């Protein structure tokens, strides 16, 4: 079941630069999308979300973009900081259900 | 800041034994969930719970699993007879609003279950 895909297992970015994490989905019934950040031995921490009626949502250094026609979303972090180093999960839920379907995650490393 | 808590952080058990994983969701949340993550795999949905009953469950959530909200604060996941393949991190989550609204689910730190 690969309804939510994160094709890049890892990403390395210099401090101060932009980090762009990508996510693709296949289920056209998905109407809500979320990004979570996870440190080792901790639970996922909610970062930012977007409804399918929008194409952009911004919260401080984090911006999520949604391209419904391409079934693609991305998370932009700018400027990137060393504390952003973690695994980032994309998740989605469909109309009429609140279960989250997660991607496999992208490990972001921000180096000085 | 309110958070979801889980106990124990690590549970080791023998195959065939029963385990109960405990969670205290955020106090004004109404929807509760269990997810699991087998090592190296993605986080998978197990079950959702609202108004004292299961609202949705996955294929993983078979007759060996059960959930309960025994009082006003705790939310538990019971595995009746554990199997080796039940070894995983189990995450509890909660949210104030379910489907149809903003579905930001807040996760606990997880319980690592090891079945020997």
């Amino acid at each position: 079941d690969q309804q939510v895909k994160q094709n890049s297992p890892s990403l390395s970015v210099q401090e101060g630069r932009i980090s762009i994490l990508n996510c693709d989905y296949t289920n056209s019934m998905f109407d809500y999308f979320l990004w979570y950040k996870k440190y080792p031995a901790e639970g996922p921490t909610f970062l930012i979300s977007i409804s399918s009626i929008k194409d952009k949502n911004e919260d401080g250094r984090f911006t999520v973009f949604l391209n419904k026609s391409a079934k693609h979303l991305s998370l932009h972090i700018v400027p990137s900081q060393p504390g952003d180093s973690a695994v980032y999960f994309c998740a989605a839920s469909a109309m009429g259900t609140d279960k989250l379907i997660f991607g496999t995650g992208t490990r972001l490393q921000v180096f000085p | 800041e309110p958070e979801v808590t889980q106990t124990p952080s690590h549970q080791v058990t023998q195959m065939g034994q029963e385990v109960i994983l405990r969670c205290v969701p955020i106090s004004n949340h109404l929807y509760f969930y269990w997810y699991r993550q087998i090592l190296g795999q993605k986080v998978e949905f197990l079950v959702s719970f609202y108004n004292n009953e299961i609202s949705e469950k996955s294929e993983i959530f078979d007759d060996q699993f059960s959930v309960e909200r025994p009082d006003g604060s705790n939310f538990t996941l019971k595995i009746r007879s554990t199997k080796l393949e039940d070894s995983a991190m189990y995450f509890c989550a909660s949210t104030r609003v379910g489907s149809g609204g903003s579905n930001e689910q807040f996760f606990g730190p997880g319980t690592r279950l090891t079945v020997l």
Side-chain angles (χ1 to χ4, degrees), chain A residues 12-29:
Chain A
S12 190
V13 172
Q14 188 172 30
E15 182 178 6
R17 302 280 198 156
I18 184 170
S19 296
I20 300 177
L21 297 109
N22 294 302
C23 178
D24 296 293
Y25 62 96
T26 57
N27 188 341
S28 57
M29 298 298 287

Side-chain angles (χ1 to χ4, degrees), chain A residues 21 33-35 47-51 54-59 61-67 72-77 90:
Chain A
L21 297 109
F33 304 89
L34 308 91
W35 283 95
L47 273 179
I48 192 168
S49 61
I50 188 166
S51 163
K54 295 186 175 181
D55 54 18
K56 177 183 174 181
N57 189 24
E58 193 172 350
D59 183 2
R61 296 186 299 115
F62 302 93
T63 303
V64 56
F65 295 92
L66 175 61
N67 182 335
H72 176 84
L73 64 155
S74 60
L75 174 68
H76 292 210
I77 306 173
C90 167

Side-chain angles (χ1 to χ4, degrees), chain A residues 1-110:
Chain A
D1 181 1
Q2 294 287 317
Q3 294 187 71
V4 179
K5 302 179 199 179
Q6 293 177 257
N7 291 317
S8 298
S10 63
L11 176 68
S12 190
V13 172
Q14 188 172 30
E15 182 178 6
R17 302 280 198 156
I18 184 170
S19 296
I20 300 177
L21 297 109
N22 294 302
C23 178
D24 296 293
Y25 62 96
T26 57
N27 188 341
S28 57
M29 298 298 287
F30 286 151
D31 66 343
Y32 205 77
F33 304 89
L34 308 91
W35 283 95
Y36 284 85
K37 173 181 176 180
K38 187 178 180 303
Y39 294 116
E42 293 185 14
T45 301
F46 170 72
L47 273 179
I48 192 168
S49 61
I50 188 166
S51 163
S52 61
I53 62 173
K54 295 186 175 181
D55 54 18
K56 177 183 174 181
N57 189 24
E58 193 172 350
D59 183 2
R61 296 186 299 115
F62 302 93
T63 303
V64 56
F65 295 92
L66 175 61
N67 182 335
K68 281 182 294 184
S69 60
K71 293 191 174 68
H72 176 84
L73 64 155
S74 60
L75 174 68
H76 292 210
I77 306 173
V78 56
S80 302
Q81 300 172 354
D84 296 329
S85 298
V87 178
Y88 288 78
F89 291 96
C90 167
S93 65
M95 287 179 269
T97 173
D98 47 356
K99 73 178 181 185
L100 296 180
I101 307 295
F102 280 83
T104 49
T106 297
R107 181 177 301 280
L108 173 66
Q109 183 175 8
V110 180

Side-chain angles (χ1 to χ4, degrees), chain B residues 71-82:
Chain B
D71 52 43
S73 59
N74 290 285
F75 179 50
T76 62
L77 174 69
K78 181 193 291 186
I79 309 175
R80 264 180 269 281
S81 177
T82 50

Side-chain angles (χ1 to χ4, degrees), chain B residues 26-91:
Chain B
I26 294 173
S27 62
N28 65 344
H29 285 186
L30 301 175
Y31 297 79
F32 314 113
Y33 311 87
W34 284 100
Y35 291 81
R36 78 173 186 190
Q37 185 181 28
I38 294 172
L39 187 64
Q41 298 185 23
K42 49 171 82 174
V43 177
E44 302 173 286
F45 169 80
L46 290 178
V47 66
S48 59
F49 191 86
Y50 169 70
N51 201 25
N52 276 325
E53 59 183 32
I54 291 173
S55 47
E56 189 172 0
K57 60 184 180 179
S58 72
E59 292 178 353
I60 303 168
F61 194 88
D62 62 21
D63 292 344
Q64 293 300 311
F65 291 87
S66 63
V67 289
E68 192 179 29
R69 189 157 162 82
D71 52 43
S73 59
N74 290 285
F75 179 50
T76 62
L77 174 69
K78 181 193 291 186
I79 309 175
R80 264 180 269 281
S81 177
T82 50
K83 303 187 281 282
L84 295 176
E85 53 265 38
D86 293 328
S87 295
M89 280 291 286
Y90 287 81
F91 295 107

